[in-house]
Amino acid sequence: QVQLVESGGGLVQAGGSLRLSCAASGTFFSIDAMSWYRQAPGKQREWVATISNGGGINYADSVKGRFTISRDNAKNTVSLQMNSLKPEDTAAYYCNAMITHISRSKAPYWGQGTQVTVSS
């Protein structure tokens, strides 16, 4: 069984910073892309950033220049450094990983979410 566990959310003032982390555990062959998504109350979940296992990175326009995604393949972790936070960044943030199982089948997994609240 694969499990993703996020940490690092909290309450911060506008203009501040937070760092989210997500660790994958369990038995699997490899991790392909790792991503962060977020969901604000009453809104659909939206994509934030993705990093491939080769280090290729993409960001949503709303966070480009403020957020930085990184990963440690040896530790099966992905992080999201969030700077210059705005009230509109307030949301539950979810880690997503595309896992290749021992059987070589692939499946996406989600973490349980961590709350980020930015006060004005």
Side-chain angles (χ1 to χ4, degrees), residues 48-95:
V48 174
T50 296
I51 183 167
S52 71
N53 57 6
I57 292 173
N58 285 286
Y59 296 102
D61 288 343
S62 59
V63 306
K64 203 171 293 184
R66 301 188 297 121
F67 290 10
T68 302
I69 189 171
S70 60
R71 66 189 284 172
D72 185 331
N73 290 332
K75 296 181 179 179
N76 295 326
T77 60
V78 62
S79 298
L80 187 69
Q81 177 66 42
M82 305 185 294
N83 299 328
S84 303
L85 282 161
K86 304 176 182 180
E88 51 263 43
D89 293 318
T90 295
Y93 283 71
Y94 297 88
C95 171

Side-chain angles (χ1 to χ4, degrees), residues 8-27:
L11 173 64
V12 64
Q13 288 189 331
S17 298
L18 281 175
R19 184 177 180 86
L20 307 182
S21 295
C22 172
S25 62
T27 302

Side-chain angles (χ1 to χ4, degrees), residues 3 8 15 31-32 34 44-45 59 76 81 90 94 97 103 106 112:
Q3 193 172 20
I31 304 176
D32 300 331
M34 301 186 83
Q44 289 189 330
R45 188 171 297 188
Y59 296 102
N76 295 326
Q81 177 66 42
T90 295
Y94 297 88
S103 66
K106 296 178 185 289
Q112 81 285 356

